[in-house]
Amino acid sequence: MIRPEDAQFHPPTSDDPLWAETNYFGLYAGQDTDRPMNIGLYGLFREPLGVVGSTVSVNSRRVRAPWEADYWDAWEHLVVPQPSNLLDYELANGLKVVATDPHRIWDVSYSDPAADLEIRFRYTALHEPYDINDPAMDPLAAGKDMAKTWGHAYAGHFDQSGHYEGEIRLRGVTTPIDCVSTMDHSWGVRAERQTSRLSWMHAHAGTDLVLHGLFDFSTDNGPDGESPLRLTHGYVVENGELRGLKAGGGVTKRSHLYPEQISISVTDTADTVWNAEGRALTTFPWQSQPGVVGHNALLRWDLDGRTAYGECMDFVGMGELGAVYDRVHDPK
């Protein structure tokens, strides 16, 4: 169970200097227009080292280099503000986060005057944090594989969907923010080299229907091949009721490893089957840290007959990416 105090920093359970805590706020604006913007604000705190990495991205395009997006900013060695406080912090890159009501309300802003960028929003949770490590909440928690690098990084982890309200101004153009999307917070040993994969995705039809899932996948079929998906964790929120997912899978069709089309079918603890088909509107190579690429896309979904929006983040470590493209360029 996630408690209000889990919004704060946790005492490390390991002497590994790569212990980390994260806050990720993913959202979108103008989703009903011909140029929807996918927005991500992230902090990766390595408190034992006294540093925090932070990235901010705004992307309405199909790009394969981060500098081709509408906006990209990445810092790796910001100083953790002292006294350290994950409930109220402001970083030197312009990111400010305040947990006004822990696990219910966050107020977030970001400013980069040089790029004429201002982002401000309030996030209001739709449900209690979903603890992927609690068998009482997540029916798949008992079968998790902690040997994987994402298992260590997610030793403590919750996902939560909520309503984002605010605005973004970029280069003189202001766009309202009014969407339902998903944030997360994790704590554990986060290795610099990722050796396992993670597909983190969701579809939001409104405040009354949300589907969020984490899946395992393989790169064996190459950067343009299909990837079967195996559900590892997830939930549905239907009319305010939060239910864990107990089974499911799907397939992702790819281009250069970016998800172009996703089909999933999952079953919740009430034995309701949910089917979703998503098509990519954007692509963006998000490097949450130097050793991994999140092949990111904002998708428009058909969620059991309802239009929904949400992103997919397919994380692959640099070593595996090198092997994938080596097979393409130098087939044995």
Side-chain angles (χ1 to χ4, degrees):
M1 175 184 293
I2 301 297
R3 297 173 173 83
E5 54 265 32
D6 287 314
Q8 184 55 276
F9 283 114
H10 296 78
T13 58
S14 166
D15 59 3
D16 192 316
L18 294 182
W19 174 272
E21 300 227 12
T22 70
N23 268 341
Y24 174 70
F25 296 93
L27 58 147
Y28 37 92
Q31 60 267 30
D32 296 321
T33 70
D34 60 358
R35 194 171 180 180
M37 290 187 289
N38 199 20
I39 304 164
L41 303 98
Y42 183 67
L44 191 160
F45 293 79
R46 296 195 184 275
E47 237 195 334
L49 299 178
V51 298
V52 52
S54 179
T55 70
V56 176
S57 60
V58 180
N59 180 49
S60 63
R61 305 165 181 161
R62 287 177 171 270
V63 303
R64 290 169 56 194
W67 51 86
E68 296 174 345
D70 300 67
Y71 178 84
W72 169 244
D73 192 49
W75 300 55
E76 280 300 309
H77 295 99
L78 294 161
V79 175
V80 177
Q82 297 297 319
S84 59
N85 183 4
L86 204 56
L87 303 181
D88 187 346
Y89 61 88
E90 185 169 6
L91 303 180
N93 66 339
L95 177 63
K96 181 176 177 59
V97 176
V98 178
T100 306
D101 185 349
H103 297 153
R104 290 192 65 250
I105 298 173
W106 274 267
D107 289 303
V108 180
S109 65
Y110 176 77
S111 177
D112 182 352
D116 189 19
L117 173 62
E118 294 280 346
I119 303 172
R120 298 182 184 278
F121 61 82
R122 168 165 284 190
Y123 166 94
T124 304
L126 296 177
H127 58 89
E128 63 183 312
Y130 188 80
D131 186 349
I132 68 169
N133 297 305
D134 183 356
M137 178 171 278
D138 187 334
L140 298 178
K144 67 182 180 180
D145 184 358
M146 288 298 292
K148 296 182 176 182
T149 48
W150 282 108
H152 292 296
Y154 279 15
H157 179 88
F158 71 80
D159 299 293
Q160 187 183 60
S161 303
H163 188 195
Y164 290 77
E165 297 174 281
E167 66 178 24
I168 173 173
R169 191 192 77 243
L170 178 59
R171 302 183 186 101
V173 178
T174 299
T175 304
I177 294 170
D178 186 0
C179 70
V180 176
S181 192
T182 297
M183 61 84 66
D184 75 355
H185 175 200
S186 61
W187 55 98
V189 176
R190 184 166 297 231
E192 287 284 271
R193 289 178 175 169
Q194 293 293 329
T195 58
S196 57
R197 295 146 306 283
L198 171 65
S199 186
W200 189 87
M201 69 177 76
H202 35 242
H204 314 90
T207 57
D208 61 333
L209 182 58
V210 169
L211 181 66
H212 176 72
L214 284 68
F215 296 81
D216 192 14
F217 67 97
S218 169
T219 59
D220 290 348
N221 291 333
D224 300 312
E226 294 186 354
S227 295
L229 302 171
R230 180 181 64 84
L231 178 72
T232 57
H233 301 283
Y235 60 81
V236 63
V237 182
E238 184 184 21
N239 296 321
E241 182 182 355
L242 174 66
R243 299 193 297 272
L245 301 179
K246 64 179 184 179
V251 63
T252 297
K253 296 180 179 179
R254 302 185 179 279
S255 175
H256 300 281
L257 282 172
Y258 293 94
E260 285 292 333
Q261 184 175 345
I262 304 175
S263 301
I264 57 173
S265 181
V266 293
T267 304
D268 67 26
T269 52
D271 292 324
T272 303
V273 177
W274 300 92
N275 297 293
E277 298 272 346
R279 293 185 179 274
L281 302 174
T282 66
T283 60
F284 178 74
W286 180 47
Q287 283 192 267
S288 57
Q289 61 192 73
V292 63
V293 176
H295 297 77
N296 173 256
L298 175 65
L299 300 104
R300 181 180 291 117
W301 294 85
D302 181 314
L303 176 54
D304 275 352
R306 293 184 58 179
T307 299
Y309 293 89
E311 63 182 333
C312 176
M313 205 84 72
D314 285 346
F315 294 100
V316 185
M318 287 297 186
E320 184 171 351
L321 284 173
V324 168
Y325 283 100
D326 181 66
R327 294 196 298 269
V328 172
H329 298 297
D330 189 18
K332 302 297 188 286

